[in-house]
Amino acid sequence: MARSWEADPSALFQRRLGKSAKELDRSDGRDECPDIWQLDNGDIAVIGRDLTDVYEPRLPEGVSLAPDERLVVIPGIMLSAAKPDIADV
């Protein structure tokens, strides 16, 4: 069965949504840089900590992960900072 949406691996990073982890004091400047980016096809890329194995056993009713999906966590302040950059549809 075909999926109703498929990620396009050829899409390029277009613009950051919100502020960088450094600007929000959520990075030590080395290897921990959560981020939110809009791709050139309109999709959103989220860089965060992979906590799939921790959260998968306790997903809410009706929520599931496909074998090729991962659950990532970012600081809430990053999504809040991105609100002005996210268009209402």
Side-chain angles (χ1 to χ4, degrees):
M1 182 170 121
R3 289 178 163 178
S4 60
W5 172 82
E6 187 61 60
D8 178 0
S10 68
L12 302 174
F13 288 89
Q14 183 173 30
R15 67 183 182 114
R16 171 179 281 121
L17 300 179
K19 298 179 180 181
S20 71
K22 183 176 181 178
E23 290 174 288
L24 296 170
D25 198 27
R26 294 297 185 265
S27 173
D28 63 8
R30 293 182 301 195
D31 62 353
E32 51 184 64
C33 294
D35 224 333
I36 306 170
W37 282 80
Q38 182 173 13
L39 303 178
D40 63 358
N41 67 354
D43 286 348
I44 305 299
V46 177
I47 301 169
R49 299 279 169 84
D50 181 355
L51 293 181
T52 305
D53 294 340
V54 173
Y55 280 101
E56 193 165 28
R58 46 190 183 154
L59 290 172
E61 179 86 24
V63 177
S64 61
L65 295 167
D68 62 346
E69 294 177 326
R70 309 301 292 166
L71 186 150
V72 300
V73 175
I74 61 171
I77 193 172
M78 295 201 78
L79 186 59
S80 294
K83 281 171 50 174
D85 294 335
I86 301 170
D88 293 331
V89 180

